[in-house]
Amino acid sequence: MKILCEVQVVNRSTQANKTPRAVKSTLAIGYKQSAKDANGNTKKELEMVLFSGQNKTGNRYKVKDNIHAVHTKFVLDGKATIGFLQPPDNLLIKCDPIQLKGFLQTLKLGMDGKDAINLRLNIAAATAIPQKAQPQVRMVISKRSEYPIKGFPRTLKSLTINNSQLVKLSFEICTLRNLTKLDVSGNKLTKIPAELGRLALTSLHLGSNLLGEQNDWCWLRGTKLSQSLGELDLSGNGLTYFPPPLVKFEALVSLNLNNNLLSRLPFAIRRLHALRKLYVCSNKLESLPSAVEDLRIDLLDVWGNCFKEFNADAAQQMSQQKAASNSPQPLWLLAARAVDKHKLPLPAGSVPAVLIDLICEAPRCPCGELCYAQRKEDLFQRVVQPKFTSIKNLTYSREHQIYADVVLCGSSCSASVQLKELFRIIFS
């Protein structure tokens, strides 16, 4: 068996690095055919050979009774160490996790004296894997006939499957641990497997599919995906609402929701602190949440939406509403406001998760106080005009004035008083 890897060789006796850094290498294991013994039987000795650009003939290591230690604590990260007694070398290996696990399993079988198909390599004639056989890291499929019959290479980092009438994303794709970029735009996907959330993708393109038919967002709850994803394209999927788990993708830099059926964006969008590009053109947005002004967006595209004019009914309702301060505030809201006001740290486990979500996602009153819309009457639609002071580039239809929705913490706050005075002038 042979694998491509990066190896650093350290001599335990002198603590000197035989190779100053990890170098691209070929590691091979197999049996060496020795001379026949007195009974006429051919002896087989298990050997390991390390080929590198500096040593093309290879360093040979006897395996039987010559293994000092094998460290596999970080094998899932593609790292392992094999130490030999003679010479006293440690091989620090970095490789694809799947290939590395297979190599270590083959080593164990050989040490146990078991025969395996991976050990049938004639180690005496083994050579390094040529450069042209380097692991494949990128694959582009533009039609069904190009789909790999033998499966996808485990070393893939980028996979593109466009306009191939794909109706289901195979589970095999969700097991490609090295994958960081996935583009399956222009297909007929209605659902994404939950296992995709286990991949540490940085770029995911799902545009022009049918994900709005089932609205199944379980895959967005994957911890790895939510921590790593920086670019997401969900354009042209018939979405009628903003996917709720998406507000926790705090590493997201670019979000494309163009050509959907969205009528509103959540106040919790303010949690996307890293967001710099937001595309929501050609939807059915009537207004934007005031929380958009909490973001530092370089580009906001809201062209082709149905922004409605100032909501006079809501304004009149607000002016006639009784003072909210007369009703007691719930304890959890008071606790959240206290934590937010004093900027207390939120270490995991010390504060209930529901309180953390409330602090990170609840809307804010224009006065700056943390709010929570407990009733329908607490949400006032299209009652303020956003200033967009933190947005560098804004693209919108000039014939539609953009209004924002707000939630007020109480009619006694300064923002509420100012708004009521404005409404009094309008209706007088």
Side-chain angles (χ1 to χ4, degrees):
M1 181 179 183
K2 295 191 290 187
I3 60 171
L4 279 168
C5 52
E6 293 183 0
V7 179
Q8 183 178 12
V9 183
V10 179
N11 186 282
R12 293 194 306 279
S13 299
T14 61
Q15 294 299 314
N17 294 343
K18 289 189 175 181
T19 54
R21 56 182 177 81
V23 296
K24 291 184 178 180
S25 309
T26 298
L27 201 56
I29 186 171
Y31 284 111
K32 176 184 177 182
Q33 303 293 335
S34 302
K36 294 183 179 181
D37 57 16
N39 298 325
N41 297 321
T42 303
K43 294 182 179 179
K44 295 195 303 183
E45 294 183 357
L46 192 62
E47 280 192 353
M48 193 180 299
V49 185
L50 176 64
F51 299 97
S52 64
Q54 294 78 12
N55 189 349
K56 296 184 179 181
T57 59
N59 288 334
R60 297 182 177 272
Y61 298 93
K62 180 183 175 183
V63 173
K64 187 176 181 180
D65 299 327
N66 194 39
I67 296 293
H68 171 69
V70 178
H71 300 288
T72 60
K73 183 177 180 179
F74 300 103
V75 69
L76 293 179
D77 297 324
K79 299 177 181 179
T81 299
I82 300 176
F84 295 95
L85 295 174
Q86 292 297 329
D89 289 346
N90 281 351
L91 307 185
L92 282 61
I93 307 167
K94 184 178 180 181
C95 180
D96 172 72
I98 303 297
Q99 294 189 40
L100 184 58
K101 288 175 66 177
F103 187 86
L104 294 174
Q105 182 65 28
T106 301
L107 172 62
K108 184 177 185 302
L109 291 174
M111 293 174 63
D112 293 341
K114 299 178 181 179
D115 190 17
I117 191 171
N118 287 339
L119 287 171
R120 294 176 185 175
L121 171 70
N122 183 2
I123 199 67
T127 57
I129 299 176
Q131 289 294 321
K132 64 180 181 181
Q134 290 290 332
Q136 186 176 0
V137 297
R138 184 173 181 269
M139 177 179 286
V140 178
I141 299 173
S142 56
K143 50 187 177 181
R144 296 295 292 268
S145 60
E146 296 176 352
Y147 224 76
I149 299 176
K150 296 183 179 180
F152 295 96
R154 313 302 304 175
T155 53
L156 281 183
K157 294 183 178 180
S158 174
L159 176 60
T160 300
I161 309 175
N162 292 151
N163 306 309
S164 301
Q165 303 295 310
L166 199 66
V167 297
K168 183 179 180 181
L169 197 65
S170 68
F171 177 76
E172 183 187 4
I173 293 177
C174 301
T175 62
L176 300 176
R177 293 175 178 261
N178 292 319
L179 201 63
T180 58
K181 296 181 179 181
L182 177 61
D183 184 349
V184 287
S185 303
N187 288 287
K188 295 184 178 181
L189 299 173
T190 59
K191 184 178 179 180
I192 302 298
E195 290 77 12
L196 190 73
R198 301 174 185 173
L199 299 183
L201 299 177
T202 59
S203 177
L204 178 58
H205 289 255
L206 297 167
S208 299
N209 278 285
L210 304 172
L211 298 181
E213 289 188 2
Q214 295 192 21
N215 284 314
D216 188 339
W217 307 111
C218 291
W219 56 279
L220 286 177
R221 295 187 176 91
T223 304
K224 283 193 174 181
L225 185 66
S226 63
Q227 293 175 349
S228 64
L229 195 63
E231 181 181 8
L232 177 61
D233 181 0
L234 287 171
S235 61
N237 271 277
L239 305 185
T240 56
Y241 63 87
F242 190 94
L246 197 55
V247 297
K248 296 186 179 182
F249 280 57
E250 298 184 7
L252 201 61
V253 176
S254 176
L255 176 60
N256 189 340
L257 295 169
N258 289 343
N259 302 299
N260 281 294
L261 303 172
L262 302 177
S263 59
R264 296 194 51 196
L265 296 178
F267 283 93
I269 198 172
R270 71 180 180 84
R271 187 168 185 170
L272 305 181
H273 305 296
L275 194 64
R276 295 296 177 266
K277 297 179 181 180
L278 177 60
Y279 304 91
V280 283
C281 75
S282 300
N283 277 274
K284 294 185 177 182
L285 294 176
E286 297 181 359
S287 59
L288 294 176
S290 58
V292 168
E293 296 202 86
D294 293 336
L295 303 175
R296 296 187 176 276
I297 297 180
D298 294 334
L299 175 60
L300 174 60
D301 187 354
V302 293
W303 181 276
N305 281 281
C306 306
F307 291 111
K308 293 187 177 181
E309 296 181 357
F310 184 84
N311 192 335
D313 293 337
Q316 189 171 16
Q317 176 189 3
M318 182 186 297
S319 65
Q320 298 173 352
Q321 188 178 15
K322 294 182 179 180
S325 56
N326 293 336
S327 58
Q329 299 290 335
L331 182 60
W332 49 264
L333 180 56
L334 295 176
R337 284 179 177 173
V339 172
D340 179 67
K341 179 180 179 179
H342 298 287
K343 300 186 183 302
L344 301 180
L346 299 173
S350 62
V351 177
V354 64
L355 192 62
I356 294 177
D357 287 342
L358 175 64
I359 295 172
C360 295
E361 300 176 12
R364 290 183 181 276
C365 176
C367 72
E369 190 77 32
L370 199 67
C371 302
Y372 194 80
Q374 302 178 69
R375 304 168 301 170
K376 182 180 179 180
E377 293 78 14
D378 295 331
L379 173 65
F380 302 98
Q381 299 181 27
R382 307 186 302 281
V383 296
V384 296
Q385 293 182 354
K387 299 178 181 178
F388 297 119
T389 54
S390 60
I391 296 176
K392 294 183 179 179
N393 296 290
L394 174 64
T395 303
Y396 68 102
S397 305
R398 299 292 179 178
E399 64 271 18
H400 292 292
Q401 180 64 48
I402 302 177
Y403 289 92
D405 304 335
V406 298
V407 176
L408 299 181
C409 63
S411 61
S412 60
C413 78
S414 59
S416 179
V417 172
Q418 293 175 9
L419 286 174
K420 284 188 176 182
E421 180 62 23
L422 174 62
F423 302 150
R424 186 188 66 78
I425 295 174
I426 292 175
F427 292 113
S428 62

